[in-house]
Amino acid sequence: MARLAYFECTKCGEKVSAAEPQTLCPKDAGSLYARYDFTPFAGKLRREALKGRVASMWRYAEVLPDVEPVTLGEGFTPLLSSRTYKNVFIKDEGLNPTGSFKARGLCAAVTMCKAYGLKKLAIPSAGNAASALAAYAAAAKIEAHIFMPKDVPQANLVECQQYGAHVTLVDGLISDCAKMAAERAANDGWYDLSTLKEPYRIEGKKTMGYEVAEQLDWELPDAIFYPTGGGVGMIGMWKAFQEMEYLGWIGSRRPKMIAVQAEGCQPVVRALEENEPRSRFWEGAHTVASGLRVPKPLGDFLVLEAVRKSGGTAIAVSDTEMLDCGVQLASEEGVFPAPEGAACIAALQKLMATGFLQPSDRIVLYNTGTGLKYAEAYATRFPRTVAGEQDKLGGLITPR
Ligand SMILES: Cc1ncc(COP(=O)(O)O)c(C=O)c1O
Ligand SMILES: [Zn+2]
């Protein structure tokens, strides 16, 4: 097991103690990265050692904090060969506990919070992170306080309540939820698990990078499509590639990192087009892909760095394209994706058409969540024919 040595600021490089819970860099409020002491096994830890290990993200124990995991079986999701697109793989994160990749980050975060003895946690969320926090907090017997936009998908709301979390619905976007969560956390002594305001969630999300390498037999793909809201999944994978290179598990070649956004909220696409290091707040953000409705990601500069250094790009797709591709993936391949995941299919079609990618390229698309959470969005494609029929459930479990 690796020892969590310290946290390092992504802006100024300041080193911060890992002996107690941390938030942002005390000098410049930069996000912190966990850094490990790999010296005991540097050069000795072979990737073959992973064979036969637990089929969860904890199979990468050496690169995760050395504490007792609060686990629900997250990670090691299937990498499916597309039945429609040649040389394309779909990493199906919908099969995680609570139906999205957010399980990885919140598993790592709750694990660390439990190890530090924290009792009350807060999170602003577009929906899926809230569901994941609620589940892991229930498993860890820690209090969860959740702030979500009031038009969050119904499934996320019901889930959070089912897991016993304290839910506040906010008349606004995730940025408004974040302000409210931060205020309450400061007043009431809660620990704020906002994206990139603490260094633990990214440690769980980075395991997506380890898995894609292992599942492709340590040959990274030519391109990775990632639906980018806060961008933590992309940032986490980028960190994982760096660590794997240090461990001697991969070389220096990197996939083209492709940030996929929604037309109604595309701050990263605009920043790339304008050649800016950071994004500007996207006014009037709207999209059916609730996880992509992040008007100003805190880690935008890290996403943009990964995109630029890898020779990747950022691209926006419309809600109509997302829903079309979601229906297509489900009906042609048996995978029912979240609109965020479906956005990657639409983006793939566009970048193939422009020649940015070639048919011979090996490509991984992240379906970050299950489409089952988005019944309201997909139901627009399949409306019920008789009003009120939903109350009858066919007479099977209720009287006609
Ligand atoms: C299904 C889904 N995909 C993608 C995202 C965006 O994730 P990230 O913050 O890592 O960019 C979210 C965030 O809520 C999500 O729920
Ligand atoms: Zn700093």
Side-chain angles (χ1 to χ4, degrees):
M1 288 277 203
R3 193 178 59 85
L4 188 51
Y6 54 87
F7 297 115
E8 186 180 26
C9 176
T10 48
K11 279 192 187 158
C12 72
E14 174 79 359
K15 291 180 181 174
V16 182
S17 164
E20 62 243 35
Q22 298 292 354
T23 52
L24 294 167
C25 172
K27 282 199 168 159
D28 58 5
S31 299
L32 301 175
Y33 273 0
R35 297 296 185 202
Y36 300 86
D37 180 9
F38 287 147
T39 40
F41 50 82
K44 286 186 229 145
L45 181 67
R46 306 251 163 264
R47 51 200 197 187
E48 291 74 23
L50 298 169
K51 284 213 175 81
R53 286 195 183 178
V54 62
S56 84
M57 71 179 201
W58 295 97
R59 67 196 278 106
Y60 307 108
E62 284 89 346
V63 296
L64 291 169
D66 183 12
V67 293
E68 184 64 27
V70 178
T71 180
L72 295 169
E74 53 291 324
F76 218 58
T77 52
L79 184 69
L80 305 168
S81 261
S82 169
R83 289 167 163 84
T84 311
Y85 302 96
K86 214 165 158 265
N87 295 324
V88 171
F89 299 86
I90 298 157
K91 182 77 171 144
D92 194 3
E93 292 292 300
L95 293 169
N96 274 301
T98 72
S100 88
F101 77 116
K102 297 277 177 184
R104 297 174 187 266
L106 273 309
C107 171
V110 171
T111 291
M112 289 305 290
C113 291
K114 187 166 184 212
Y116 286 127
L118 298 170
K119 299 276 185 263
K120 297 185 180 191
L121 311 178
I123 200 168
S125 169
N128 285 320
S131 304
L133 171 61
Y136 286 94
K141 304 208 179 326
I142 295 179
E143 222 173 270
H145 295 268
I146 282 163
F147 297 82
M148 298 191 284
K150 67 174 195 225
D151 55 356
V152 70
Q154 179 74 8
N156 293 121
L157 176 59
V158 172
E159 258 187 303
C160 291
Q161 290 166 329
Q162 186 91 353
Y163 290 126
H166 303 264
V167 178
T168 305
L169 290 180
V170 177
D171 188 8
L173 296 173
I174 190 167
S175 37
D176 303 298
C177 299
K179 275 185 212 136
M180 207 177 272
E183 260 172 43
R184 290 292 309 272
N187 288 337
D188 299 354
W190 302 341
Y191 185 71
D192 185 351
L193 284 169
S194 291
T195 299
L196 289 172
K197 283 194 189 164
E198 50 71 42
Y200 316 114
R201 285 172 66 181
I202 189 170
E203 290 306 286
K205 291 204 179 172
K206 80 178 182 190
T207 58
M208 291 194 293
Y210 280 89
E211 277 174 34
V212 86
E214 186 181 358
Q215 290 174 322
L216 288 175
D217 210 13
W218 307 103
E219 194 65 46
L220 289 179
D222 296 304
I224 289 183
F225 284 68
Y226 182 77
T228 303
V232 187
M234 169 154 337
I235 299 168
M237 282 191 270
W238 197 247
K239 181 174 192 275
F241 299 152
Q242 223 176 36
E243 290 176 0
M244 282 191 281
E245 188 178 350
Y246 180 82
L247 290 168
W249 289 3
I250 59 166
S252 58
R253 196 179 68 84
R254 297 287 183 268
K256 290 189 171 94
M257 302 302 279
I258 296 165
V260 182
Q261 298 210 292
E263 276 183 2
C265 182
Q266 40 171 319
V268 171
V269 176
R270 179 170 65 185
L272 192 72
E273 278 168 7
E274 293 177 351
N275 220 3
E276 294 291 340
R278 301 211 64 145
S279 68
R280 277 182 290 126
F281 190 93
W282 190 272
E283 296 294 340
H286 63 91
T287 166
V288 75
S290 42
L292 302 186
R293 207 168 46 158
V294 182
K296 170 78 177 96
L298 197 66
D300 51 6
F301 68 104
L302 296 168
V303 173
L304 285 159
E305 188 183 299
V307 166
R308 288 189 173 114
K309 282 196 174 158
S310 69
T313 189
I315 179 167
V317 305
S318 71
D319 282 9
T320 303
E321 288 167 329
M322 285 183 218
L323 294 181
D324 285 349
C325 287
V327 174
Q328 185 206 330
L329 192 68
S331 59
E332 289 183 3
E333 308 219 24
V335 174
F336 183 14
E340 292 85 343
C344 293
I345 305 268
L348 171 74
Q349 291 172 353
K350 288 183 187 217
L351 292 182
M352 280 293 182
T354 60
F356 185 84
L357 292 170
Q358 303 304 316
S360 58
D361 287 336
R362 283 169 96 216
I363 293 165
V364 171
L365 310 180
Y366 273 85
N367 172 35
T368 39
T370 172
L372 288 172
K373 298 263 183 112
Y374 297 80
E376 299 97 332
Y378 283 113
T380 57
R381 296 302 168 94
F382 305 103
R384 290 176 192 252
T385 45
V386 183
E389 192 148 310
Q390 63 206 29
D391 301 326
K392 288 192 202 161
L393 292 175
L396 287 174
I397 60 168
T398 52
R400 276 181 193 278

